[in-house]
PDB file of all heavy atoms in Angstrom:
ATOM      1  N   TYR A  32     -26.441  16.058  24.556  1.00 58.00           N
ATOM      2  CA  TYR A  32     -25.771  17.298  24.175  1.00 58.00           C
ATOM      3  C   TYR A  32     -25.253  18.063  25.389  1.00 58.00           C
ATOM      4  O   TYR A  32     -24.149  18.591  25.387  1.00 58.00           O
ATOM      5  CB  TYR A  32     -26.753  18.143  23.365  1.00 58.00           C
ATOM      6  CG  TYR A  32     -26.227  19.469  22.912  1.00 58.00           C
ATOM      7  CD1 TYR A  32     -25.379  19.560  21.816  1.00 58.00           C
ATOM      8  CD2 TYR A  32     -26.590  20.644  23.571  1.00 58.00           C
ATOM      9  CE1 TYR A  32     -24.893  20.777  21.382  1.00 58.00           C
ATOM     10  CE2 TYR A  32     -26.112  21.860  23.147  1.00 58.00           C
ATOM     11  CZ  TYR A  32     -25.270  21.926  22.051  1.00 58.00           C
ATOM     12  OH  TYR A  32     -24.797  23.133  21.630  1.00 58.00           O
ATOM     13  N   THR A  33     -26.042  18.077  26.464  1.00 61.00           N
ATOM     14  CA  THR A  33     -25.650  18.801  27.675  1.00 61.00           C
ATOM     15  C   THR A  33     -24.374  18.225  28.272  1.00 61.00           C
ATOM     16  O   THR A  33     -23.501  18.971  28.716  1.00 61.00           O
ATOM     17  CB  THR A  33     -26.778  18.745  28.720  1.00 61.00           C
ATOM     18  OG1 THR A  33     -27.961  19.265  28.121  1.00 61.00           O
ATOM     19  CG2 THR A  33     -26.441  19.539  29.951  1.00 61.00           C
ATOM     20  N   THR A  34     -24.242  16.919  28.258  1.00 59.00           N
ATOM     21  CA  THR A  34     -23.039  16.285  28.787  1.00 59.00           C
ATOM     22  C   THR A  34     -21.818  16.661  27.953  1.00 59.00           C
ATOM     23  O   THR A  34     -20.759  16.947  28.502  1.00 59.00           O
ATOM     24  CB  THR A  34     -23.203  14.747  28.832  1.00 59.00           C
ATOM     25  OG1 THR A  34     -24.314  14.449  29.658  1.00 59.00           O
ATOM     26  CG2 THR A  34     -21.960  14.078  29.375  1.00 59.00           C
ATOM     27  N   VAL A  35     -21.971  16.649  26.643  1.00 61.00           N
ATOM     28  CA  VAL A  35     -20.862  17.039  25.773  1.00 61.00           C
ATOM     29  C   VAL A  35     -20.461  18.474  26.070  1.00 61.00           C
ATOM     30  O   VAL A  35     -19.275  18.775  26.249  1.00 61.00           O
ATOM     31  CB  VAL A  35     -21.229  16.890  24.274  1.00 61.00           C
ATOM     32  CG1 VAL A  35     -20.130  17.461  23.386  1.00 61.00           C
ATOM     33  CG2 VAL A  35     -21.485  15.447  23.928  1.00 61.00           C
ATOM     34  N   LYS A  36     -21.441  19.348  26.144  1.00 67.00           N
ATOM     35  CA  LYS A  36     -21.155  20.762  26.419  1.00 67.00           C
ATOM     36  C   LYS A  36     -20.478  20.918  27.776  1.00 67.00           C
ATOM     37  O   LYS A  36     -19.527  21.683  27.910  1.00 67.00           O
ATOM     38  CB  LYS A  36     -22.428  21.604  26.364  1.00 67.00           C
ATOM     39  CG  LYS A  36     -23.034  21.765  24.993  1.00 67.00           C
ATOM     40  CD  LYS A  36     -22.362  22.805  24.168  1.00 67.00           C
ATOM     41  CE  LYS A  36     -22.876  24.173  24.482  1.00 67.00           C
ATOM     42  NZ  LYS A  36     -22.496  25.172  23.514  1.00 67.00           N
ATOM     43  N   SER A  37     -20.936  20.189  28.793  1.00 68.00           N
ATOM     44  CA  SER A  37     -20.320  20.350  30.113  1.00 68.00           C
ATOM     45  C   SER A  37     -18.936  19.706  30.168  1.00 68.00           C
ATOM     46  O   SER A  37     -18.042  20.213  30.839  1.00 68.00           O
ATOM     47  CB  SER A  37     -21.221  19.797  31.215  1.00 68.00           C
ATOM     48  OG  SER A  37     -21.365  18.409  31.102  1.00 68.00           O
ATOM     49  N   THR A  38     -18.742  18.598  29.454  1.00 75.00           N
ATOM     50  CA  THR A  38     -17.435  17.939  29.428  1.00 75.00           C
ATOM     51  C   THR A  38     -16.388  18.834  28.777  1.00 75.00           C
ATOM     52  O   THR A  38     -15.243  18.898  29.223  1.00 75.00           O
ATOM     53  CB  THR A  38     -17.520  16.598  28.664  1.00 75.00           C
ATOM     54  OG1 THR A  38     -18.448  15.758  29.341  1.00 75.00           O
ATOM     55  CG2 THR A  38     -16.169  15.913  28.580  1.00 75.00           C
ATOM     56  N   PHE A  39     -16.780  19.523  27.734  1.00 82.00           N
ATOM     57  CA  PHE A  39     -15.841  20.341  26.973  1.00 82.00           C
ATOM     58  C   PHE A  39     -16.029  21.837  27.237  1.00 82.00           C
ATOM     59  O   PHE A  39     -15.507  22.661  26.487  1.00 82.00           O
ATOM     60  CB  PHE A  39     -15.979  20.060  25.472  1.00 82.00           C
ATOM     61  CG  PHE A  39     -15.432  18.718  25.076  1.00 82.00           C
ATOM     62  CD1 PHE A  39     -16.239  17.588  25.082  1.00 82.00           C
ATOM     63  CD2 PHE A  39     -14.107  18.587  24.708  1.00 82.00           C
ATOM     64  CE1 PHE A  39     -15.729  16.355  24.716  1.00 82.00           C
ATOM     65  CE2 PHE A  39     -13.587  17.351  24.346  1.00 82.00           C
ATOM     66  CZ  PHE A  39     -14.408  16.232  24.348  1.00 82.00           C
ATOM     67  N   ASP A  40     -16.763  22.181  28.289  1.00 87.00           N
ATOM     68  CA  ASP A  40     -17.046  23.582  28.573  1.00 87.00           C
ATOM     69  C   ASP A  40     -15.756  24.407  28.609  1.00 87.00           C
ATOM     70  O   ASP A  40     -14.916  24.207  29.486  1.00 87.00           O
ATOM     71  CB  ASP A  40     -17.772  23.701  29.910  1.00 87.00           C
ATOM     72  CG  ASP A  40     -18.212  25.116  30.213  1.00 87.00           C
ATOM     73  OD1 ASP A  40     -18.511  25.864  29.268  1.00 87.00           O
ATOM     74  OD2 ASP A  40     -18.243  25.473  31.403  1.00 87.00           O
ATOM     75  N   LEU A 188     -19.466  22.567  18.140  1.00 85.00           N
ATOM     76  CA  LEU A 188     -20.452  22.992  19.131  1.00 85.00           C
ATOM     77  C   LEU A 188     -20.316  24.427  19.609  1.00 85.00           C
ATOM     78  O   LEU A 188     -21.228  24.946  20.249  1.00 85.00           O
ATOM     79  CB  LEU A 188     -20.391  22.057  20.350  1.00 85.00           C
ATOM     80  CG  LEU A 188     -20.656  20.579  20.100  1.00 85.00           C
ATOM     81  CD1 LEU A 188     -20.581  19.803  21.407  1.00 85.00           C
ATOM     82  CD2 LEU A 188     -22.009  20.378  19.438  1.00 85.00           C
ATOM     83  N   TYR A 189     -19.190  25.039  19.362  1.00 85.00           N
ATOM     84  CA  TYR A 189     -18.954  26.392  19.868  1.00 85.00           C
ATOM     85  C   TYR A 189     -18.563  27.302  18.717  1.00 85.00           C
ATOM     86  O   TYR A 189     -18.025  26.855  17.708  1.00 85.00           O
ATOM     87  CB  TYR A 189     -17.823  26.394  20.906  1.00 85.00           C
ATOM     88  CG  TYR A 189     -18.160  25.606  22.154  1.00 85.00           C
ATOM     89  CD1 TYR A 189     -17.863  24.252  22.240  1.00 85.00           C
ATOM     90  CD2 TYR A 189     -18.793  26.213  23.230  1.00 85.00           C
ATOM     91  CE1 TYR A 189     -18.175  23.514  23.375  1.00 85.00           C
ATOM     92  CE2 TYR A 189     -19.113  25.488  24.367  1.00 85.00           C
ATOM     93  CZ  TYR A 189     -18.805  24.140  24.432  1.00 85.00           C
ATOM     94  OH  TYR A 189     -19.122  23.424  25.560  1.00 85.00           O
TER      95      TYR A 189
END
Side-chain angles (χ1 to χ4, degrees):
Y32 179 79
T33 304
T34 301
V35 173
K36 291 280 277 194
S37 66
T38 299
F39 288 90
D40 185 31
L188 301 181
Y189 295 90

